[in-house]
């Protein structure tokens, strides 16, 4: 192993250890045993704070129906609300929750449907990936294969599945996706 690289790695490890030694005792006393957690703390752990500036669009009936279809497919797959939030944010970025067919010259390769999945990339046939339940199930199958997706930033989880040219773009839809899931999950 290269000496400079080894020394760099040992320095990083030393800093991490020192940080843990210093912060560990402080963190251990940060929340006394007799303290009761607040509702805000419970919300913080259930859904991470959205990253960056947030976008919002008004939805029409078709888009709302697609939100409900994504939620239904997520429930059918036995996945939690967080999976629906990631799915809806991804669809907001990819298609604005519109089930897009072939767009001619404006099409990005052969991308179709809510998630702009490509038949040539193995997502399914054009008929399958323009079916909201199928396309959501396909997206969720990819999401399940991402180790730790439940705890990672939404944009990282979505990007790992989608492999977009704009990997950070999903983050802007997290708040609206969270609100839509809160509104429609139990309806």
């Amino acid at each position: 192993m290269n000496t400079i690289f080894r020394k760099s790695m040992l320095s990083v490890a030393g800093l991490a250890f020192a940080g843990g030694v210093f912060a560990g005792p402080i963190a251990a006393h940060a929340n006394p045993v007799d303290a009761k957690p607040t509702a805000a703390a419970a919300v913080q752990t259930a859904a991470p704070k959205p990253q960056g500036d947030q976008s919002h669009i008004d939805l029409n009936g078709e888009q709302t129906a697609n939100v409900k279809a994504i939620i239904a497919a997520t429930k059918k797959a036995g996945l939690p609300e967080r999976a629906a939030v990631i799915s809806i944010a991804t669809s907001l970025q990819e298609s604005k929750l519109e089930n897009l067919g072939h767009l001619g010259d404006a099409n990005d390769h052969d991308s179709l449907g809510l998630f702009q999945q490509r038949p040539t990339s193995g997502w399914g046939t054009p008929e399958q990936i323009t079916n909201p339940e199928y396309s959501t199930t396909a997206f969720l199958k990819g999401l399940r294969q991402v180790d730790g997706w439940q705890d990672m930033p939404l944009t990282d989880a979505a990007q790992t599945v989608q492999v977009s040219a704009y990997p950070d773009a999903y983050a802007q839809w997290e708040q609206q996706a969270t609100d839509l899931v809160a509104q429609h999950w139990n309806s």
Side-chain angles (χ1 to χ4, degrees), residues 67 71 81 84-85 88 176-186:
V67 165
I71 289 172
E81 291 178 48
V85 170
I88 291 169
Q176 185 169 14
T178 300
D179 294 344
L180 288 166
V181 170
Q183 180 181 356
H184 295 288
W185 186 263
N186 292 319

Side-chain angles (χ1 to χ4, degrees), residues 38-49 82 150-151:
T38 64
V43 171
Q44 252 333 327
T45 59
K49 183 180 179 203
R82 181 73 177 153
Q150 303 92 327
D151 300 317

Side-chain angles (χ1 to χ4, degrees), residues 40 43-54 82 85 151-155 171-175 178:
V43 171
Q44 252 333 327
T45 59
K49 183 180 179 203
Q51 295 178 315
D53 294 336
Q54 295 294 293
R82 181 73 177 153
V85 170
D151 300 317
M152 66 176 48
L154 179 144
T155 199
Q172 69 184 313
W173 300 106
E174 186 163 5
Q175 188 60 60
T178 300

